[in-house]
Amino acid sequence: MEPLVRMKKISKSFGPVQALRQVDLTLHQREVLGLVGDNGAGKSTLMKVLTGVYRPDEGEIYLNGQRVRFNSPYDSRNAGIEMVYQDLALAGNLHVAGNIFLGRELTKKYLGGLIKFLDHKGMAQEAARLLERLRVEIQSVDLKVETLSGGQRQAVAVGRSMGFNARVVIMDEPTAALAVTEVAKVLDLIRNLKEHDVSVILISHRMQDIFEVSDRIMVLRQGRKVGDLVRSQTTMDEVVALITGAQGEALQTVTEVA
Ligand SMILES: Nc1ncnc2c1ncn2[C@@H]1O[C@H](COP(=O)(O)OP(=O)(O)OP(=O)(O)O)[C@@H](O)[C@H]1O
Ligand SMILES: [Mg+2]
């Protein structure tokens, strides 16, 4: 079966900086891929190529075997790929339901469509259902997002992406600023996404988080892919050695999951 996402030989430079060198990435259905590497390794750039923020200098992207060309995040979102940012994408002064439906508000029509009203009740019900499905504990969808904790915000952002029928959710450092109990909830959320047939790419410097939820771990170093490992067949020591280059260029464990 074709993988959900295949990125082939992606290269991207910013002036003299070669951020990505011939990088391949595969993401399968119902898979959590941990994407790791040192600062500046190219992780965020690779995800920005996948979401149409940047156009690659070279390389191709395939979704279910079909070549795609994303010119903007709008294109990738339409294809079911969502990037979750912890704060940026949410409107703090809006309530939870408002955020989940931001940009695609439900309306009620009267007089044969002559008058349209926002369907607040419908949006609140739908938002509550969505969060319940993801087993997110937020007391009320009427709470303003600015009153929520970092982990709860993360959950609302994921809920929003699910509302857009995402097939792939990308999370860039979702747990970096969170307390221990909140981290656990975000990791639960990632597992729940998988149960709902959503694949996840998780970028994190927290190796324990990566090992807790990933099926596979991909390592970038200085813009190159230096490892692609099945989680159950590797160790933190091995992954850290690949990140730092302690094992030299020779070690390249590429394991494809069927
Ligand atoms: N818009 C840009 N303009 C110029 N250089 C950039 C730009 N974006 C990224 N880079 C450079 O590309 C390289 C890869 O950066 P990237 O942000 O992808 O790293 P990263 O792996 O996400 O690092 P971190 O873990 O610190 O977030 C770095 O050398 C960075 O300085
Ligand atoms: Mg980054």
Side-chain angles (χ1 to χ4, degrees):
M1 206 172 95
E2 290 287 346
L4 189 52
V5 177
R6 184 184 289 282
M7 299 176 83
K8 259 188 179 167
K9 295 197 181 303
I10 302 288
S11 296
K12 177 75 188 168
S13 294
F14 299 101
V17 178
Q18 193 157 10
L20 297 172
R21 300 163 198 252
Q22 308 254 311
V23 175
D24 292 332
L25 175 148
T26 46
L27 179 69
H28 299 269
Q29 215 94 43
R30 292 184 117 236
E31 183 176 54
V32 178
L33 176 68
L35 180 55
V36 299
D38 229 334
N39 294 119
K43 306 177 296 293
S44 296
T45 304
L46 187 63
M47 292 303 100
K48 285 176 183 167
V49 168
L50 180 54
T51 53
V53 176
Y54 297 142
R55 259 192 269 184
D57 302 332
E58 274 179 71
E60 291 143 32
I61 303 174
Y62 298 83
L63 288 188
N64 294 313
Q66 298 283 327
R67 174 96 190 257
V68 291
R69 286 182 180 80
F70 297 146
N71 293 314
S72 73
Y74 180 83
D75 292 343
S76 65
R77 165 170 282 175
N78 274 342
I81 300 175
E82 281 281 337
M83 181 106 184
V84 174
Y85 302 91
Q86 179 152 9
D87 301 310
L88 298 178
L90 297 177
N93 59 341
L94 282 183
H95 48 65
V96 170
N99 267 283
I100 286 177
F101 284 94
L102 199 64
R104 52 187 183 102
E105 286 82 0
L106 301 183
T107 53
K108 265 186 184 163
K109 290 177 188 163
Y110 294 94
L111 299 175
L114 219 54
I115 306 176
K116 273 199 227 169
F117 286 106
L118 284 179
D119 181 6
H120 291 292
K121 201 172 149 202
M123 285 192 278
Q125 284 171 348
E126 192 58 35
R129 254 201 299 275
L130 199 62
L131 294 177
E132 198 182 292
R133 222 173 62 163
L134 290 171
R135 285 183 241 124
V136 170
E137 283 162 40
I138 290 177
Q139 286 182 341
S140 158
V141 293
D142 297 326
L143 287 174
K144 281 194 176 179
V145 159
E146 64 197 7
T147 68
L148 300 180
S149 74
Q152 287 173 323
R153 282 180 209 206
Q154 194 73 47
V156 172
V158 171
R160 186 175 142 75
S161 64
M162 290 287 286
F164 281 106
N165 289 319
R167 290 184 288 169
V168 178
V169 170
I170 302 164
M171 302 171 96
D172 196 343
E173 294 289 352
T175 55
L178 300 183
V180 178
T181 50
E182 299 245 284
V183 170
K185 283 185 190 157
V186 171
L187 298 180
D188 278 343
L189 193 61
I190 292 172
R191 292 190 196 95
N192 290 345
L193 283 172
K194 195 171 135 176
E195 274 174 38
H196 289 97
D197 281 336
V198 177
S199 297
V200 178
I201 301 177
L202 170 66
I203 296 178
S204 180
H205 287 282
R206 295 168 51 101
M207 225 32 74
Q208 64 272 41
D209 296 353
I210 291 285
F211 270 77
E212 210 170 301
V213 292
S214 303
D215 300 299
R216 201 153 49 82
I217 299 169
M218 166 172 163
V219 188
L220 285 177
R221 178 153 44 87
Q222 295 173 0
R224 278 183 224 279
K225 176 165 164 176
V226 293
D228 194 333
L229 310 127
V230 173
R231 197 258 334 247
S232 58
Q233 293 167 16
T234 186
T235 62
M236 266 191 220
D237 284 347
E238 184 181 23
V239 172
V240 170
L242 286 168
I243 291 172
T244 59
Q247 300 198 357
E249 296 289 334
L251 199 145
Q252 180 155 358
T253 318
V254 177
T255 323
E256 278 290 325
V257 183

